[in-house]
Amino acid sequence: MSDCLFCKIAAGEIPSNKVYEDEICCAFHDIAPQAPTHFLVIPKKHIRSVSEITADNSGVISHIFQVIAKLVKEMGLESYRVVSNIGEQAGQSVFHLHFHVLSGRDMTWPPG
Ligand code: 5GP
Ligand code: ZN
C-alpha cells in the first residue's frame, strides 16, 4: 500500500533498525521502546490488522510466530510478551499488521 508507514519500512524506503528479514516478514526495533527489548514483526504484504486474517493469508501468521520464537531464542529472552493491538480503542496507531515483542522488565496484567 503506497501510503503506509510499515509498507515503506518493509520495502526499505524508510530506514529502520532491522533485526531480521526474509521474503515474508521483517522485524525491527520500535522507535519508542516500551521495554528494554521492544521490536515489531510485520508481514511484508499489507494486511490492516488481525481482523483481516483469512484462510488465504493466515500462513504468514504461523511464519511470523516461528520467526519470533527463533529471534527470542537467539536473543536469550526467556520471558516476553507478544502483543497486537487491533483498532484505535485498543491502541493501534499504525494500520499495518504488527506484533510487538516486549521483554526485559516486569509486566503487569491485565494490560492497561
Ligand atoms: P501500535 O500503536 O499500532 O500498536 O504500534 C505501532 C508502533 O510503531 C508503536 O509502538 C510506535 O512506537 C512504532 N512506530 C511508529 N512509527 C515508527 C517508525 O517510523 N519506526 C519504527 N521503528 N517504529 C515506529
Ligand atoms: Zn502497509
Side-chain angles (χ1 to χ4, degrees), residues 1-9 11 13-14 44 46 96:
M1 206 175 125
S2 60
D3 196 24
C4 170
L5 174 66
F6 284 0
C7 280
K8 288 179 181 162
I9 285 179
E13 291 164 13
I14 289 178
K44 288 195 164 173
H46 185 84
H96 177 127

Side-chain angles (χ1 to χ4, degrees), residues 85-93 95 112:
N85 299 320
I86 296 104
E88 275 174 37
Q89 191 178 28
Q92 186 174 9
S93 60
F95 290 84

Side-chain angles (χ1 to χ4, degrees), residues 22-58:
D22 63 27
E23 65 283 358
I24 296 169
C25 71
C26 66
F28 53 91
H29 290 289
D30 196 291
I31 203 166
Q34 301 301 311
T37 299
H38 183 181
F39 62 90
L40 305 170
V41 190
I42 69 170
K44 288 195 164 173
K45 188 178 161 234
H46 185 84
I47 299 172
R48 187 175 162 85
S49 75
V50 166
S51 294
E52 284 192 355
I53 300 302
T54 65
D56 287 339
N57 64 15
S58 62

Side-chain angles (χ1 to χ4, degrees), residues 76-97:
L77 306 176
E78 287 177 3
S79 188
Y80 56 94
R81 186 171 286 177
V82 181
V83 178
S84 192
N85 299 320
I86 296 104
E88 275 174 37
Q89 191 178 28
Q92 186 174 9
S93 60
V94 177
F95 290 84
H96 177 127
L97 177 65

